Amino acid sequence: CLIQKPVPGMWPQMLNKPTASDFEILMWTSTNAPNTFELFVLSGVFSFVYNIIQFNIVHTLSPSATAFGGNFNKAALVFLTLLLPFLQVHELPGWPYNFAIWMAVLGNVAAFSFYSYLQILAKREKAAQEQKEAMMQKRDMVPFQEGDDDDEDEDEEEEGGCC
């Protein structure tokens, strides 16, 4: 960040020197192109929010679900490129390859959906098991008093009570 290194392109003429640190380039950009600097700061805010969301997802679901979800934007871009021709940068391959790409995209969506479904089932099963264990522990904590009801009946019988 503060290490001087050779700068490429037009930067030597802009900075009037052949080497610069990242911080010097950042400061130059903030004074000479404030709109670009504002976008730089805004991208940092978005990056921070994205990382917080991803951190919460990892702790809520699982690391593998987060990895699957991280590739969602790539899969969505491929799907939209296949679906909407005006988004295509290059011409798509011919018949057999185009079909293989469609099958791969649909297979990816199906695999992720099935994986998510299995994760949901596992969480439900774990919650049910924890609830069952909690009920068992609660039942074990209640002391069992043996013969309390029988003592009352015996007393009534001794006194000549009928019921």
Side-chain angles (χ1 to χ4, degrees), residues 112-128:
F112 180 70
S113 299
F114 186 66
Y115 178 79
S116 298
Y117 174 71
L118 291 177
Q119 289 285 75
I120 290 169
L121 287 180
K123 281 192 172 200
R124 285 182 184 167
E125 185 177 317
K126 182 179 177 184

Side-chain angles (χ1 to χ4, degrees), residues 93-109:
W95 152 244
Y97 303 108
N98 197 5
F99 179 74
I101 292 171
W102 270 105
M103 290 298 105
V105 168
L106 294 176
N108 185 15
V109 169

Side-chain angles (χ1 to χ4, degrees), residues 2 11 14 19 31-32 46 52 56 59-60 64 81 88 90 96-97 102-103 106 117-118 125 130 132 134 147 150 153:
L2 299 175
W11 282 107
M14 300 272 213
T19 62
T31 56
N32 295 319
F46 285 147
I52 294 297
N56 287 331
H59 288 286
T60 303
S64 54
T81 303
Q88 296 173 0
H90 303 289
Y97 303 108
W102 270 105
M103 290 298 105
L106 294 176
Y117 174 71
L118 291 177
E125 185 177 317
E130 288 174 354
K132 184 178 178 183
D150 294 337
D153 292 341

Side-chain angles (χ1 to χ4, degrees), residues 40-106:
F40 165 76
V41 172
L42 186 63
S43 73
V45 170
F46 285 147
S47 177
F48 179 74
V49 169
Y50 174 77
N51 285 328
I52 294 297
I53 291 170
Q54 194 161 21
F55 178 81
N56 287 331
I57 291 172
V58 166
H59 288 286
T60 303
L61 298 175
S62 69
S64 54
T66 305
F68 276 127
N71 289 323
F72 176 78
N73 59 345
K74 296 172 194 151
L77 181 63
V78 169
F79 181 73
L80 288 174
T81 303
L82 288 171
L83 199 59
L84 306 169
F86 62 87
L87 292 177
Q88 296 173 0
V89 177
H90 303 289
E91 187 177 340
L92 291 175
W95 152 244
Y97 303 108
N98 197 5
F99 179 74
I101 292 171
W102 270 105
M103 290 298 105
V105 168
L106 294 176

